[in-house]
Amino acid sequence: MRELKGRTAVITGAGSGIGAALARRAAAEGMNVVLADIQRAEAAAVAEEIGTDRALAVHCDVTDEASVTALADAAYARFGAVDLLCNNAGIVPGGRHRRVWEYTPGDWHWSIGVNLYGVVHGLRVFVPRMITQGTPAHILNTASVAGMVSGSGSACYGAAKHAVVRVTEALYAGLREEQAPIGVTMLCPGLVRTRIYDAERLRPAEYADAAPQAESAELDAMREDLYRHATTAEEAADMAFRGIIDDQFYVFTTIAFDNAIAARADAILARRNPEFESIVEMSRKDAGLHAGTTA
């Protein structure tokens, strides 16, 4: 989708991080922007930067399909069409590093509700309307390198992102089979300097952790050090828009996870027991590559 000026983008999770950067980049391309976030005040602040003549902030809980439907209704009522849908909202349940059996039901329901159902609801609500428009359009789903690798770390988040990868590939294949003029890009960020690990401030009461665990000072310091050299949200948004404009499906923000992706695929094809590299170590490589140092 090379012509963006004057068209309309809907972006979830647009109040901060990659979502806010996508909104600013869409505006820089001359697009109208609908900024959706569960924290409407944060989305409204970004909309004010862009200019409320062509930006609309909407409260949206992506875990609730009715809320996503209300978002679509608001977007179409204001701008008449949606040409770019960015299913971007995401969270990482916080607390100490947990083994897969230690995550609480609240962790699982919240992670899958936002990270997976946020995408599913976006597709169910918007895709039929976008097909009916009959005009060239594009969908960006934010997955993660965590959806391409495996191991003991980030299982609650990674499981949802693995599902997003499968859903996005099915979306791409299905739209091609329908010969719909809608492109698909899957953004797979590595380490990006956002507030995703601060998502506990947004945890709804129904997903409350019965025994919340604070981060250790050591883990908190390590994360700060990694993020100091991470890819910025603006850089990730630039890569995403290059993918959208060039109709590129797979967009990665880093090559730091490539060896782990290849090793996992090789083990599957060879029917060999896997050996997983630590996600923390891969993130260190990512930070090192971005800082121009050896990891």
Side-chain angles (χ1 to χ4, degrees), residues 1-271:
M1 194 172 75
R2 295 186 177 276
E3 185 54 52
L4 301 178
K5 187 174 181 180
R7 306 184 80 182
T8 298
V10 173
I11 301 164
T12 65
S16 63
I18 293 175
L22 288 169
R24 294 185 182 103
R25 176 59 193 267
E29 295 285 346
M31 302 187 79
N32 303 312
V33 189
V34 180
L35 301 94
D37 203 284
I38 198 165
Q39 296 287 99
R40 186 188 177 280
E42 294 185 1
V46 181
E48 286 284 344
E49 291 177 32
I50 294 169
T52 54
D53 58 323
R54 59 193 184 100
L56 173 68
V58 178
H59 171 269
C60 183
D61 177 358
V62 297
T63 70
D64 177 8
E65 188 169 289
S67 185
V68 179
T69 299
L71 167 64
D73 290 343
Y76 277 88
R78 174 68 182 274
F79 296 113
V82 173
D83 307 291
L84 172 61
L85 170 65
C86 299
N87 290 310
N88 170 76
I91 54 94
V92 176
R96 66 186 177 85
H97 172 72
R98 296 175 180 174
R99 302 301 181 191
V100 64
W101 58 87
E102 295 178 320
Y103 284 102
T104 67
D107 292 331
W108 285 106
H109 285 296
W110 189 32
S111 179
I112 291 170
V114 175
N115 296 317
L116 174 58
Y117 273 101
V119 173
V120 171
H121 292 154
L123 300 183
R124 280 179 44 78
V125 169
F126 280 91
V127 170
R129 300 192 196 198
M130 294 170 81
I131 290 174
T132 299
Q133 282 175 204
T135 55
H138 207 92
I139 297 168
L140 173 80
N141 287 345
T142 301
S144 172
V145 292
M148 296 287 186
V149 298
S150 197
S152 66
S154 299
C156 189
Y157 174 75
K161 291 299 187 178
H162 271 264
V164 170
V165 170
R166 179 65 177 87
V167 166
T168 309
E169 290 172 342
L171 172 68
Y172 175 81
L175 288 171
R176 285 174 65 87
E177 289 167 359
E178 291 292 320
Q179 297 183 325
I182 302 173
V184 180
T185 293
M186 182 167 66
L187 178 63
C188 293
L191 195 67
V192 178
R193 207 179 307 161
T194 71
R195 298 173 66 191
I196 193 167
Y197 282 101
D198 187 29
E200 284 299 318
R201 75 192 195 283
L202 305 175
R203 185 189 284 254
E206 62 265 35
Y207 303 138
D209 189 338
Q213 300 287 334
E215 297 283 25
S216 69
E218 180 182 7
L219 184 58
D220 204 40
M222 180 191 72
R223 182 175 292 157
E224 280 295 314
D225 184 57
L226 286 175
Y227 275 80
R228 190 173 297 115
H229 301 294
T231 299
T232 67
E234 291 71 25
E235 289 168 332
D238 286 345
M239 295 178 206
F241 265 81
R242 284 199 295 272
I244 291 164
I245 292 167
D246 293 341
D247 196 23
Q248 179 182 352
F249 182 79
Y250 295 106
V251 174
F252 288 80
T253 64
T254 179
I255 61 171
F257 295 74
D258 286 12
N259 288 342
I261 294 169
R264 179 173 179 268
D266 289 346
I268 291 169
L269 294 174
R271 311 302 193 263

